[in-house]
Amino acid sequence: MNSVAIWSVHSFSENALRRCLPAVVLMLVLFSNAGAMRGITGILEGRIVDKTSGQPIVGVNIVLLGSPMGTVSNTEGSYRITNVRGGEYNVRFSIIGYKTLVVKQVVISPDLRTKLDVELEVGAVEFAPVEITARQPLIQKDLAATAFSVGGDKVDKLPISTFSEVLTLQPGTTLEGNVRGGTISGTVYLVDGIPVQDVVGGGLGTDMPKSSVSGVTILTGGLDAEYGNTQSGAVNVITKSGRNESSIDLRVERDDWLPEYIDKEVNHAMEFELSANGPMVENTLYYFSANVLTLSDTRWWQDFKNVFPFPVSKQFKGFSKLDYVVSSTSRWSLQGIYSLERWHDYQFSWRYDLNGLPQR
């Protein structure tokens, strides 16, 4: 039986709610047995055979690089690794007498089985690993629902400023985030299986840095029973975790690289994203943190510039996580989502007295 303890704290005052101040949501997950959280893990399975004879190979070591998970093939050459956190992995197959094989970019989708069959070549001496790239099947046979999965690398490459815009690019959705003609409140948003709904207006309660997303699954029809409190669709976000290799990434974007006399179709927006991850105790305790600072004068900057100094809008959002690996099948996690935004609304009827508009 899986045990899960979840604390969610929503802190806001009546006055802050009335003035539409953003709520700061703190999400603490103190214990999670792998697979207990809905929509987080998948299964990797397949069969290993000799490339020449086609006979199954027994005792092949299968390891998901960068994680403590792995298994060994049975007498039929088959293997299965359950409770694999959704994301992209490199999988290594090794056994004495055969060349080591590394399959790169294997995408594990939550709630689904990923099949990976391989053929190993006989090697009399030790050779360098053979590397190949996995390909996603065009049809997922064990998927009954209408679903679209987008990996973290694809999210980074898409021309979007927030990961939630991935939903608007999928079939059956609108630019406002409506799914199959439903309302915004009819779509449930989950982060690592935990709802992050805006309880007042519906939709996503707070956005997250793009670099914190390992994958996004959008369900727009035929939802399983595990996705409750939804009428239109479900958006399940799988977050990244720290690994044994430390890394720090910085992203800087702005829309006003050209002088104003050349290009005035700008918001004078600047965005800085800093993410870092690595081990605090190798193979045991990991950290991950991604934070974004966005400064903007908004699309009304030509009126605002005479009243307010830069920036008119300030937004800080982030996601941080600590992972303690108890064993290959369970871990303790402490994670939080936080955001803070301050801005001035623009009202045309107040354009000559914008200083009278309250800050939000």
Side-chain angles (χ1 to χ4, degrees), residues 238-257:
I238 307 299
T239 61
K240 293 181 180 178
S241 296
R243 298 196 174 188
N244 283 325
E245 300 80 19
S246 298
S247 66
I248 298 178
D249 297 297
L250 175 64
R251 177 177 62 86
V252 179
E253 293 184 9
R254 59 185 302 174
D255 66 352
D256 57 354
W257 295 103

Side-chain angles (χ1 to χ4, degrees), residues 43-51 54 56-57 60 62 73 76-80 91 93 101-104 106 113-120 132-135 137 141:
I43 296 175
L44 176 65
E45 62 182 9
R47 191 164 181 263
I48 308 169
V49 299
D50 186 288
K51 187 172 183 178
I57 306 176
V60 178
I62 303 100
S73 61
E76 298 178 353
S78 301
Y79 70 93
R80 175 181 294 177
V91 186
F93 300 84
L101 176 68
V102 177
V103 182
K104 291 188 171 184
V106 178
R113 298 172 182 267
T114 300
K115 191 171 182 62
L116 180 61
D117 297 329
V118 299
E119 298 176 338
L120 297 184
I132 60 177
T133 301
R135 295 182 179 274
K141 296 180 180 179

Side-chain angles (χ1 to χ4, degrees), residues 75 80 92 109 124 152 157 173 183 195 217 219 230 261 265 269 312 324 329 331 354:
T75 55
R80 175 181 294 177
R92 184 181 66 200
S109 300
K157 295 175 182 178
T173 63
T183 62
T217 300
L219 300 162
T230 178
Y261 66 86
E265 297 297 323
V312 173
Y324 176 65
T329 58
R331 67 172 61 198
L354 293 175

Side-chain angles (χ1 to χ4, degrees), residues 25 68 70 78 100 118 124 155 181-182 184 187 249-250 291 312 326 342:
V25 181
S78 301
T100 299
V118 299
V155 172
I184 294 179
T187 301
D249 297 297
L250 175 64
N291 300 276
V312 173
V326 180
R342 291 175 180 167

